[in-house]
Amino acid sequence: MRGNKMKEVRMDCPGGHGKMMLRKTKKRMTFRGVNIIVPIEQYRCTVCGVEAATVTQAARIQKTMADAYRKTVNLLTGREIVEKRKRLGLTQEALAKRMNVGIASIKRWEGGTIQSKSMDRALRIALGDQSVGDSCTGNREFSIPRIKLVLKEFESVLGKRLLKKNDKFLFAAKYLWYADMVAHREMGESLTGSTYAALPYGPQLNNYKDLIEDIMKADESKAEPLNRGEKRIVTRIALKFPEERMVYDAAHKEKIWKKQPNGAIIPYTDSAELTGF
Ligand SMILES: [Zn+2]
């Protein structure tokens, strides 16, 4: 049907040589500094060789170029995003919610706008791609000073202390876990690189007994500062769980914790299935 429609809008040569011919070719071109080959369908004058595309054709060429580029640099193409999303039975809205982006962003990426590398990672995570990076650390190098920094940030938003002497990290670990998981889900990268184990009293830092003292002693000024997006995640989590009990209870309802056997690592690749946040 589409093909027939295109024939109806046959173009005349702007040089006055009458009707132009529909021509399908493959063009080699440079797009954002990358060589791509793009199948192109447009009109060509058999007399002077001038080429022109209808609005529909031009839009399709743009989309094809964007997808050829994404394929070449290993980003999800618009078509791949649509296919993966539908396979999971997700609407554009549901996917947007998982990633905490507007539905317009999903529409743009599916339509041909090129996503950034980090958004591509977040997209893959939200779309359940199990091969995304390191599922133990959430694609970030483990940093004890950063754990302290994140917990200090929580303390300043919550207006209470989480880092207490002789603390077993019962509550601190839950805030941290949500922050790391949500950052991974929305930005493709955890905040602290921590690995979490499923323990009977909820998600906990793996080997937390060996870590707590080092965390308490750590110099958070040595950690990479939190960027705006990271701070916003901490703030959102703190506002949702103003009481320690709330974050504790929410974590205990998470099926990604429940489904793990006692002591097993909770992979970051499950972050798209968080329900409490
Ligand atoms: Zn012509």
Side-chain angles (χ1 to χ4, degrees):
M1 279 311 279
R2 242 184 186 160
N4 289 339
K5 225 180 201 171
M6 297 238 309
K7 276 185 190 116
E8 287 164 24
V9 289
R10 276 187 75 158
M11 296 175 86
D12 287 324
C13 172
H17 303 118
K19 296 283 179 214
M20 297 167 87
M21 294 291 288
L22 187 62
R23 194 160 165 268
K24 289 180 191 178
T25 49
K26 280 192 176 170
K27 277 214 165 137
R28 194 180 290 272
M29 56 178 86
T30 309
F31 183 77
R32 291 195 182 185
V34 172
N35 291 322
I36 52 172
I37 296 168
V38 185
I40 280 178
E41 191 177 282
Q42 62 185 357
Y43 287 96
R44 186 173 188 275
C45 173
T46 49
V47 181
C48 67
V50 73
E51 290 176 330
T54 63
V55 175
T56 317
Q57 286 170 341
R60 198 170 304 154
I61 291 167
Q62 280 298 322
K63 204 170 160 173
T64 313
M65 279 167 63
D67 271 357
Y69 170 82
R70 287 192 278 189
K71 196 109 213 156
T72 309
V73 299
N74 207 15
L75 295 171
L76 288 172
T77 65
R79 186 175 298 178
E80 284 170 336
I81 298 168
V82 175
E83 279 171 5
K84 284 172 186 285
R85 176 173 62 72
K86 290 194 171 159
R87 215 175 297 146
L88 290 173
L90 292 173
T91 60
Q92 289 179 323
E93 199 176 0
L95 177 59
K97 214 173 161 201
R98 270 191 183 189
M99 298 178 66
N100 192 37
V101 297
I103 189 170
S105 295
I106 306 294
K107 287 186 170 153
R108 279 198 296 268
W109 294 327
E110 290 186 353
T113 300
I114 295 159
Q115 67 277 24
S116 67
K117 189 84 201 154
S118 71
M119 275 301 133
D120 189 71
R121 211 144 61 168
L123 263 169
R124 287 175 194 268
I125 290 160
L127 291 168
D129 185 335
Q130 297 291 313
S131 68
V132 188
D134 188 330
S135 71
C136 285
T137 65
N139 306 319
R140 180 185 281 275
E141 203 182 325
F142 178 54
S143 161
I144 288 178
R146 214 156 200 255
I147 293 179
K148 178 110 175 250
L149 183 68
V150 172
L151 289 174
K152 286 270 174 199
E153 183 73 16
F154 268 113
E155 286 185 338
S156 86
V157 184
L158 290 165
K160 64 177 85 177
R161 292 191 63 182
L162 290 173
L163 291 155
K164 298 169 202 149
K165 262 209 159 72
N166 303 318
D167 186 57
K168 292 202 179 71
F169 258 52
L170 217 53
F171 300 114
K174 308 293 178 287
Y175 281 112
L176 210 53
W177 182 65
Y178 269 114
D180 271 331
M181 287 303 234
V182 171
H184 179 261
R185 186 186 68 194
E186 295 181 3
M187 305 196 297
E189 200 173 30
S190 71
L191 295 185
T192 71
S194 296
T195 302
Y196 294 89
L199 295 187
Y201 43 89
Q204 177 57 281
L205 285 173
N206 197 34
N207 299 324
Y208 72 100
K209 283 179 189 155
D210 298 335
L211 292 174
I212 290 178
E213 210 187 311
D214 290 343
I215 295 168
M216 298 298 282
K217 281 192 303 200
D219 178 1
E220 68 270 25
S221 70
K222 296 229 167 73
E224 188 191 334
L226 296 172
N227 66 35
R228 248 177 53 207
E230 292 173 331
K231 278 190 177 176
R232 210 176 298 136
I233 284 173
V234 170
T235 304
R236 280 162 53 213
I237 293 168
L239 293 178
K240 172 130 192 209
F241 307 121
E243 300 298 332
E244 283 117 310
R245 194 74 222 175
M246 296 165 88
V247 75
Y248 186 87
D249 290 344
H252 278 77
K253 290 194 186 103
E254 296 291 351
K255 61 175 190 278
I256 64 173
W257 162 70
K258 278 189 207 165
K259 75 177 182 189
Q260 293 297 340
N262 188 14
I265 302 303
I266 306 171
Y268 277 93
T269 38
D270 282 352
S271 63
E273 292 166 53
L274 279 178
T275 52
F277 199 88

